[in-house]
Amino acid sequence: MDIVFINDLRVKTVIGIFDWERKIKQTLRIDLEMGGDIRAAAKSDAIDDAIDYKAVSDCLKRLAEESKAQLVETLAERMAETVLKEFKIPWLKLTMNKINAVSGVSGVGVIIERGKRS
C-alpha cells in the first residue's frame, strides 16, 4: 500500500469539555496518512487519479470549523469517516494533537486507524 500524507495541518475549532473552552477556538494539529495505490496517478499524471491532498486538507478544515464536539475522539472519528467515504480511501491513520491543552506537555490527543491495510 502506498501512503499519501498531510503533516502538521493546523485547524481552529471549538473543542473541550470546560465552559471556557466552549467560548473560544483552539488550535489542533492533524497528521493524516492515507493508504491507496498511486500507480494509476503516476501513470496518468492526472489529479483525478490521485488522492487530492489539497481537497482532503480543505475538507478537514471545514469539518473543524463546523464542529462543536467536546472530545478530540469525536472530531477525529468524524474526520476519519468523512475522508474514507468522500475520497474513497481504503485506509487511513489520523493523529489529532490538542496543543497547549495540558501544562508542561507539547500536546495531547488521539491516533486512530480506520479501514483495511493491505
Side-chain angles (χ1 to χ4, degrees), residues 6 10 14 28 40-41 47 51 63 69 73 81 85-86 98 107 109 114 117:
I6 299 167
R10 303 222 175 194
V14 174
L28 299 176
I47 192 65
I51 298 171
L63 290 168
E73 292 87 344
E81 288 173 356
K85 182 179 176 185
E86 288 188 18
K98 187 175 177 186
R114 299 291 181 265
R117 197 172 204 184

Side-chain angles (χ1 to χ4, degrees), residues 11-15 21 24-28 63-69 75:
V11 297
K12 290 201 173 267
T13 189
V14 174
I15 192 97
E21 290 180 300
I24 64 167
K25 288 196 174 189
Q26 297 183 68
T27 301
L28 299 176
L63 290 168
E65 288 169 2
E66 295 171 356
S67 178
K68 300 292 186 225
L75 182 54

